[in-house]
Amino acid sequence: MAFNEKMADRVREMIAAVEGNVEEKRMFSGLCFMVNDKMCVAVRESSIMVRIDPVMFEEIVGKEGVGPMVHNGREMKGYFFVDEEVLKTKKQLAYWVNLALEFNKFAKSSKKKK
């Protein structure tokens, strides 16, 4: 699974200050940052995947370099791909990472409880 190491380092630096459990897992053809057992941001070869409040769909999907995540022909609500071309500055990347971290507080955990 190839992913952009430089982008992963940039995301890692932003997520490092988060309180709680932060874990890195290889998935989605890249490296996924799990925050408190919930998918938050995944770094791929030329994009990142962010998990954002699905209520923001119309606002988010219209932005340059952004598209919904489609899995098995189905749009995944709240999951978006952001092209690295619109993530060149720290401010641009921080916008998306912060949206994902903000939603993470309310998102359902992907970890199955025993």
Side-chain angles (χ1 to χ4, degrees), residues 27-93:
M27 59 173 49
F28 297 118
S29 301
L31 182 67
C32 185
F33 291 86
M34 308 282 289
V35 177
N36 296 323
D37 298 319
K38 298 177 259 185
M39 284 187 281
C40 191
V41 179
V43 177
R44 298 168 40 124
E45 199 166 339
S46 60
S47 65
I48 64 170
M49 182 278 300
V50 290
R51 186 178 183 192
I52 299 173
D53 190 341
V55 171
M56 298 180 71
F57 180 84
E58 292 300 323
E59 176 187 344
I60 297 296
V61 82
K63 292 190 180 282
E64 180 184 352
V66 179
M69 179 178 172
V70 178
H71 183 66
N72 291 332
R74 197 179 101 209
E75 221 171 71
M76 303 298 290
K77 290 184 179 183
Y79 294 86
F80 299 90
F81 287 118
V82 183
D83 189 81
E84 72 179 352
E85 290 301 313
V86 296
L87 302 171
K88 293 189 185 282
T89 69
K90 186 173 184 173
K91 183 178 178 180
Q92 289 171 319
L93 180 60

Side-chain angles (χ1 to χ4, degrees), residues 3-12 43 93:
F3 62 90
N4 184 327
E5 294 276 354
K6 188 174 180 181
M7 181 68 72
D9 288 341
R10 291 175 65 202
V11 171
R12 188 177 291 116
V43 177
L93 180 60

